Amino acid sequence: MGEIASPGQLRMSFVRWALVTVPLVVFLGFLAGRVSSPDNRWYAALRKPAAMPPPWAFPVAWTVLYILLGVAIAMVLHARGARWRGIAIALFAVSLALNLAWSPLFFAAHQVLAAFALILGMFAFAVATAFAFGRVRSAAAWLMVPYLVWLSFAAILNWQTHRLNPDAEELVPRHGATQITL
């Protein structure tokens, strides 16, 4: 009777965290994509790298990655009293904020090179987050590995897109822009 919480109670505490974090991370990722309202004319006009996956692969990959990230942060949040917990949570928050900023920067602002710089920052913070997660829960760090792999691939695609489209910002006029030709 000296236990503070039974194993079942501890599992339920983790499940409660996951029931909040997983949908929240997935929703925020979806929202960032929708709010950036990609200009399909602009994106269609871009020359794409040969390694570009088919369009359906992106929402599938990001949904899986956001689920893994949601579970990872739930594990860290559940680890009360862990020494690195606060640092890990803060790094995750910054990493997620950078992630959510990428779609508007790339799709809405048409800033391909700036989006590449941002993805490098995302990768650096994701690596730091994974290391901090590893100090709290090793499984949470391992759940970050697919995200790190995907970010590496996305950075390569982003860089190649920039190289193929050095004039990407001017490919298609923005909504509300006026073009007068004489």
Side-chain angles (χ1 to χ4, degrees):
M1 196 72 185
E3 294 180 12
I4 294 174
S6 71
Q9 289 170 322
L10 291 174
R11 267 191 305 281
M12 283 309 297
S13 174
F14 165 71
V15 169
R16 282 191 295 275
W17 276 116
L19 286 173
V20 171
T21 59
V22 171
L24 180 63
V25 171
V26 171
F27 173 73
L28 289 173
F30 172 77
L31 187 64
R34 292 300 294 165
V35 168
S36 65
S37 58
D39 183 347
N40 290 333
R41 295 176 309 134
W42 175 79
Y43 187 72
L46 288 175
R47 288 183 294 281
K48 313 290 189 304
M52 184 69 75
W56 62 264
F58 290 97
V60 171
W62 278 110
T63 300
V64 170
L65 293 170
Y66 285 139
I67 289 169
L68 294 175
L69 291 175
V71 171
I73 190 63
M75 288 177 168
V76 171
L77 289 167
H78 179 253
R80 288 191 197 221
R83 185 170 166 212
W84 282 71
R85 182 177 181 255
I87 293 168
I89 293 167
L91 286 169
F92 179 82
V94 172
S95 181
L96 184 62
L98 293 174
N99 177 295
L100 298 175
W102 187 88
S103 286
L105 186 61
F106 185 88
F107 289 111
H110 305 170
Q111 297 294 317
V112 179
L113 186 57
F116 175 70
L118 179 60
I119 210 167
L120 294 179
M122 287 167 53
F123 184 80
F125 269 93
V127 167
T129 302
F131 277 108
F133 277 12
R135 303 287 249 161
V136 177
R137 293 280 187 264
S138 62
W142 283 107
L143 287 173
M144 294 287 293
V145 171
Y147 179 61
L148 292 169
V149 170
W150 183 261
L151 283 180
S152 300
F153 178 61
I156 291 167
L157 291 177
N158 195 153
W159 177 251
Q160 289 178 346
T161 300
H162 167 67
R163 294 219 27 215
L164 292 169
N165 303 277
D167 59 341
E169 192 174 345
E170 278 82 42
L171 277 180
V172 175
R174 296 183 205 281
H175 295 293
T178 307
Q179 268 189 323
I180 299 173
T181 54
L182 301 173

